[in-house]
Amino acid sequence: MMPMAVPAQAGAPIIGRWDLTVQGTNRAYPSWVEVYLSGHRTLVGNFVAGGGSARPISKVTYDNGTVHLSLPPQWEAEPNDVQVTATLAGDRLTGTIVQPNGEKHRFTGVRAPTLRRTAAPVWGKEVVLFGGTDMNAWEPLPGGESQWKVIGGLLTNTRSGANLATKQKFTDFTLHLEFRVPKGGNSGIYLRGRHEVQVEDSPLGEPSSTHLGGVYGFLAPNDQAHKGAGVWQTFDITLVGRRVTVVLNGKTIIADQTIPGITGGALDSNEGEPGPLYLQGDHTAVEYRNIRITPVVGSPK
């Protein structure tokens, strides 16, 4: 019996994860796309825009260096699909995103790094990022007026305003912090400024990647461990390469799982580079305290 021919799509070079930089109407913003094979011949995937969460791609076509993606709208007001057309040359994508409102945004993309570590981490000295007295380790990000203050020993965002980032950048680390959200409150912790761990007053029920402790749009907690609004809660988060462990209130809810790519609201798509810790302040009031980080020393191996 002759062996079955492998369909061309099975080896399509577009398969993989791609970090995109998009030139929007007023600014450049990061984006991300993943394409993979379903069965023998169907390409499918996921897409992260400048905001929101990962969304499925409804159709992927690839032919002789040209790729086209169609994906449903998410937070956009218009009902039209997002259309992405690009040319692949080597490991570089160049193309255009047509938004549901008709705006056209040019982009470039590179294949995302694997970030696989081949050696065990060597932990350095703990760094206190907030100990209750000052905000010297932090700076507000552009995009709004900062509402962050130290009030009664707490790092407090009094109302919706600017996001807050550390001046120092980190690669691999373990992070400890405590937080308190009001009823209906919403914030987030961005690891390396690119991967959001959700902070919010989540509803009870089946955990979701967009609920407290989830890696937004990608990784859902394996159980509910939150205590509700208005009480202090604790995160211990370890990030090594793409692998993340999230412990909420002493319970491991994400155990050594791989973060596929950037989440909506990322500062950039340069996943192989160090980045700051940033706290989302553009949603609601929130309080943080006792923020400590222990970085891995040396270059990742």
Side-chain angles (χ1 to χ4, degrees):
M1 180 181 294
M2 295 291 293
M4 181 180 296
V6 177
Q9 296 285 53
I14 191 61
I15 292 172
R17 296 167 178 163
W18 301 84
D19 289 330
L20 312 182
T21 300
V22 186
Q23 183 56 56
T25 304
N26 300 312
R27 63 178 181 89
Y29 62 89
S31 184
W32 174 90
V33 65
E34 176 184 35
V35 176
Y36 58 94
L37 187 69
S38 176
H40 291 300
R41 55 185 174 272
T42 303
L43 294 178
V44 295
N46 295 292
F47 183 87
V48 174
S53 65
R55 67 180 92 175
I57 300 171
S58 57
K59 186 174 183 180
V60 179
T61 59
Y62 177 82
D63 182 41
N64 195 30
T66 299
V67 60
H68 182 79
L69 316 174
S70 295
L71 49 140
Q74 190 178 65
W75 299 111
E76 298 89 352
E78 299 79 9
N80 308 313
D81 283 359
V82 179
Q83 304 291 338
V84 181
T85 302
T87 299
L88 174 61
D91 278 344
R92 185 174 179 84
L93 281 170
T94 305
T96 302
I97 300 173
V98 181
Q99 303 290 350
N101 64 2
E103 285 186 3
K104 295 182 179 180
H105 296 172
R106 298 286 298 171
F107 73 88
T108 58
V110 295
R111 196 174 291 276
T114 63
L115 304 183
R116 293 192 184 97
R117 306 304 191 221
T118 58
V122 177
W123 301 104
K125 183 178 179 181
E126 180 181 85
V127 178
V128 177
L129 295 174
F130 181 74
T133 57
D134 59 62
M135 295 168 52
N136 292 342
W138 303 81
E139 59 187 359
L141 294 172
E145 183 178 351
S146 178
Q147 306 300 325
W148 293 93
K149 303 175 182 178
V150 179
I151 301 176
L154 307 177
L155 181 58
T156 304
N157 188 49
T158 57
R159 58 186 173 88
S160 178
N163 299 320
L164 191 70
T166 58
K167 296 176 182 177
Q168 187 174 351
K169 294 183 178 182
F170 305 95
T171 302
D172 296 346
F173 56 83
T174 183
L175 168 71
H176 173 90
L177 60 77
E178 298 162 26
F179 64 94
R180 181 166 63 182
V181 292
K183 186 173 180 59
N186 188 308
S187 181
I189 305 160
Y190 279 76
L191 314 178
R192 298 191 197 117
R194 302 182 187 105
H195 315 293
E196 181 188 7
V197 177
Q198 176 71 303
V199 174
E200 71 162 10
D201 174 26
S202 294
L204 295 173
E206 190 65 21
S208 163
S209 67
T210 60
H211 289 167
L212 177 61
V215 176
Y216 201 86
F218 284 129
L219 303 177
N222 60 29
D223 203 354
Q224 293 282 16
H226 65 77
K227 297 180 178 180
V231 298
W232 284 102
Q233 305 187 67
T234 301
F235 267 136
D236 290 281
I237 302 169
T238 301
L239 180 65
V240 177
R242 291 189 179 278
R243 305 184 74 90
V244 66
T245 295
V246 180
V247 179
L248 173 61
N249 298 322
K251 186 170 188 177
T252 301
I253 57 171
I254 295 176
D256 197 27
Q257 295 297 299
T258 297
I259 303 176
I262 66 169
T263 58
L267 296 181
D268 59 48
S269 57
N270 304 323
E271 291 191 90
E273 298 182 5
L277 181 74
Y278 102 66
L279 305 177
Q280 196 172 45
D282 61 0
H283 281 34
T284 72
V286 65
E287 296 168 306
Y288 290 95
R289 69 183 184 189
N290 197 17
I291 306 176
R292 312 189 309 267
I293 194 167
T294 303
V296 170
V297 296
S299 300
K301 295 179 180 180

